[in-house]
Amino acid sequence: MECIHRIGEGCRMKGDFEVSISKIVTPFSFLKSHAHDYYEIYYLMSGERRLTIGNQGYALKKGALAFIPKNVAHKTMTASPPEHERLVIYFHDAYIGSAVSEQPDLLLPFSARSPVLELNQQEQAYAENLLLQMINEYSDENRKGRALFFKTLLTQLLLFAGRKLPCAQEDEVKPVNPSIREIVQHCNEHFRKPMTLSEIAGRFYLSPSYVSRLLKKHTGRSFPEYMNTLRIRESQRLLRESSLKMIEIADQVGYLNITHFNKNFKLITGMSPLQYKKMTLTMEQVTLKHKPEFLEKHRF
């Protein structure tokens, strides 16, 4: 399809659904807003970006999932640093119509108070698993049942976002306990090293049971679950961006046992590290790596 060979934003679709992926390493902003008669889902896999929908601006960071309604003007702009990798899905009403008939609020994310969801580590792993499967399906036009399977993945993503919306709105008004903020930050920075709940609790002069309750309340995960999620998210990045061996990746993210790494990877992502690696290779094949002259030509 034509859009896969272009920047992907603002172009017309030939079918009812399309995927556009790109890595951009040079500053690039659309000078004018554009609108189209189909829905757009924008996922930022890495880097930062600024998004404007209508008159509202949003700062996007890694793991942001944005839902852009049809016929609404929007544009993306450079953030600092400019390097980013994004995946965009486009689809028409006709493509998702039967699913909407069965689940009328399926398109709720496009009309929510905030069309941008900031996903936590676990949610990013889930969303990216769906998105990678979409890329895998989209890359082979001759695959049997391609459109139907893609639609089931899209439906899962929309349902996931719809269920996430009430949580996102509640989080906006709930103050965050300073202790949990510091605990989470420490985990995020030191997850590559061996770490126990007792050590974390002692560091912040809290009881292990209290720390466990805080983590469960504010992240939805127990301490082991949260640490495993951080480690698997980093291992996914290494699988995408490095040529390290599996045992080396396991060691770098804090697993002393490759069997334990494989087990947790599949538990969190739904696939083995090897399967994930193969899917990222498919993504690499269809990803656009735009040169400055290309971006300038398609700027509008």
Side-chain angles (χ1 to χ4, degrees), residues 128-194:
E128 288 178 17
N129 183 21
L130 291 177
L131 293 168
L132 282 170
Q133 290 185 70
M134 289 184 189
I135 295 166
N136 199 39
E137 287 298 308
Y138 186 79
S139 63
D140 185 358
E141 293 187 5
N142 298 317
R143 181 168 294 174
K144 186 176 181 180
R146 169 179 178 261
L148 178 60
F149 191 64
F150 190 96
K151 187 187 299 184
T152 64
L153 295 169
L154 175 59
T155 302
Q156 289 180 65
L157 183 63
L158 291 171
L159 286 171
F160 159 75
R163 292 175 178 178
K164 167 76 176 167
L165 283 173
C167 297
Q169 292 168 0
E170 289 173 10
D171 290 343
E172 292 176 6
V173 297
K174 284 185 178 179
V176 178
N177 186 310
S179 296
I180 190 61
R181 185 187 294 116
E182 294 169 2
I183 291 168
V184 168
Q185 182 178 350
H186 183 79
C187 291
N188 291 348
E189 293 174 355
H190 301 283
F191 65 85
R192 296 173 185 84
K193 302 176 182 178

Side-chain angles (χ1 to χ4, degrees), residues 14 60 69 93 146 154 173 176 212 237 258 261-262 293:
K14 288 185 176 180
L60 305 184
D93 277 312
R146 169 179 178 261
L154 175 59
V173 297
V176 178
S212 181
R237 184 189 70 80
I258 188 66
F261 167 66
N262 289 334
E293 56 268 27

Side-chain angles (χ1 to χ4, degrees), residues 222-233:
S222 66
F223 176 74
E225 289 172 338
Y226 187 69
M227 294 301 295
N228 280 326
T229 299
L230 292 175
R231 288 166 176 159
I232 296 305
R233 291 288 297 131

